[in-house]
Amino acid sequence: MKKILILSFILFFLTISYCQETNYVPFPSSNANWMSLKKNILTTNQWSLDFVYKIGENDTIIDNISYHTLYTNKPPYSYHSSFRESDKKIYVRFPDKTEDFLLYDFNLNVGDTMFYFFEDNYLHTYEHHKKVISTGTIQLSNGETRRTMTLTSIPYPYVEDEIWVEGIGSITRNGLFNPMVTVTLTNGEIFKFAFHCVNEQVLFQDTDCSYCDCDYALSLHENISCTVDVYPNPFTDQLSIVSDQNVILNVEIFNSIGMHIKSETIGDYSGKITLDNVNIGVYFIKINFENKSIIKNIIKK
């Protein structure tokens, strides 16, 4: 009887441990950002900010499916792509594409492979395989433990092995979209994933990214030495834009997924733009000055 009790206790403990280790953590759906750093080892020893990806405030619907929008810092607060998660798989819809791209599959086990095929803006085609060579865990900055998997590039053995973390994605080199990287640059530039934050909580932070924070702004508001008013907001069919110091060159309107809707030349400290033919919803207005820009949210009612 004593042996049975001991055996039952061991099995119970192992069951709890197993469940804890395999408790899947999904990708964030809001209030999250990813940052990577870069430096050129031939010219400097200082790391600088490379890419920032941040989930937008509003989801979007594509082909009757809900996606979360991603914005980036190149150029400031520009639409990058939309993503969704289904069955532990992360799908991305890039601009001007009609199909989803499978970026991550957290169902993979040791020995499984991931096939990537994509075409860049210059019509260059890339394809490669990544193979899972090990799985494990990592302790995040907040003390939480997440499952990881390490993948190696089959056709490009000189490319560094990659580590995926559930709920974060790649923590290697370029970070979030690193699975699409097929080559290593030879001009001295190196990259590393440096920071990830969700709901004002830091989950991953590299020591060289001490200046990174959860509230990092993708736009350049702090670099504009003037005040710009856009009104009324919400608007019905026309917007007024007024700058107190700098001449407004032009304004551009984008919808919630970053598609360009309209441009208007201003060439003065104030101007108006008519938007009576757009649907009700959230839009972005990009106000361009001589060397800088400001991005503001606007709402058509």
Side-chain angles (χ1 to χ4, degrees), residues 3-275:
K3 291 182 177 179
I4 294 176
L5 290 174
I6 294 174
L7 180 60
S8 298
F9 175 78
I10 293 174
L11 290 174
F12 177 73
F13 177 78
L14 290 176
T15 300
I16 294 176
S17 300
Y18 177 79
C19 291
Q20 289 177 338
E21 290 178 358
T22 58
N23 184 25
Y24 177 71
V25 179
F27 257 52
S29 58
S30 62
N31 300 320
N33 60 44
W34 294 257
M35 302 185 193
S36 60
L37 305 180
K38 70 176 181 179
K39 73 175 177 179
N40 192 310
I41 58 177
L42 302 179
T43 60
T44 182
N45 195 39
Q46 297 295 319
W47 290 95
S48 61
L49 192 65
D50 187 30
F51 271 100
V52 179
Y53 299 102
K54 190 170 185 176
I55 300 178
E57 297 178 358
N58 302 286
D59 289 348
T60 187
I61 303 296
I62 304 175
D63 296 336
N64 296 318
I65 301 175
S66 180
Y67 292 74
H68 310 298
T69 54
L70 274 179
Y71 292 84
T72 183
N73 59 325
K74 296 183 179 181
Y77 210 82
S78 61
Y79 172 72
H80 180 273
S81 58
S82 298
F83 76 94
R84 64 182 178 89
E85 179 168 358
S86 177
D87 188 29
K88 300 183 182 180
K89 297 178 181 180
I90 310 301
Y91 296 93
V92 179
R93 180 68 68 95
F94 293 107
D96 303 324
K97 299 297 182 183
T98 58
E99 296 182 353
D100 287 347
F101 181 87
L102 179 58
L103 186 62
Y104 293 100
D105 184 354
F106 287 98
N107 296 290
L108 300 180
N109 294 302
V110 175
D112 292 340
T113 58
M114 187 83 171
F115 176 67
Y116 290 97
F117 177 87
F118 56 94
E119 189 177 78
D120 64 17
N121 294 332
Y122 303 98
L123 301 181
H124 298 146
T125 298
Y126 300 90
E127 59 179 86
H128 62 281
H129 290 77
K130 291 181 182 290
K131 181 178 181 179
V132 181
I133 56 176
S134 67
T135 59
T137 59
I138 187 175
Q139 188 174 45
L140 303 180
S141 300
N142 66 344
E144 180 183 349
T145 299
R146 297 267 183 98
R147 179 175 178 267
T148 66
M149 59 177 69
T150 301
L151 301 92
T152 190
S153 177
I154 296 176
Y156 305 107
Y158 49 83
V159 175
E160 179 186 356
D161 290 344
E162 184 171 12
I163 299 175
W164 293 0
V165 180
E166 288 183 353
I168 297 179
S170 176
I171 59 171
T172 310
R173 292 188 306 273
N174 301 82
L176 186 59
F177 287 93
N178 193 74
M180 298 177 66
V181 175
T182 59
V183 296
T184 301
L185 298 179
T186 58
N187 62 354
E189 284 191 331
I190 59 176
F191 306 85
K192 69 174 176 178
F193 181 67
F195 187 81
H196 178 59
C197 177
V198 179
N199 293 325
E200 303 299 321
Q201 184 177 45
V202 178
L203 300 184
F204 185 97
Q205 182 162 9
D206 188 274
T207 54
D208 289 310
C209 199
S210 57
Y211 57 87
C212 295
D213 62 72
C214 296
D215 294 324
Y216 183 85
L218 295 181
S219 57
L220 298 178
H221 292 217
E222 68 276 11
N223 293 329
I224 303 293
S225 58
C226 68
T227 299
V228 178
D229 292 324
V230 178
Y231 63 90
N233 193 17
F235 68 96
T236 302
D237 54 16
Q238 191 176 71
L239 281 168
S240 294
I241 306 100
V242 179
S243 169
D244 66 348
Q245 292 185 29
N246 295 330
V247 172
I248 303 169
L249 299 182
N250 57 72
V251 297
E252 300 172 85
I253 305 297
F254 301 85
N255 66 13
S256 62
I257 63 171
M259 293 180 60
H260 187 270
I261 301 298
K262 186 174 184 177
S263 296
E264 189 84 20
T265 300
I266 303 296
D268 203 343
Y269 292 94
S270 65
K272 296 181 184 293
I273 183 168
T274 300
L275 294 166

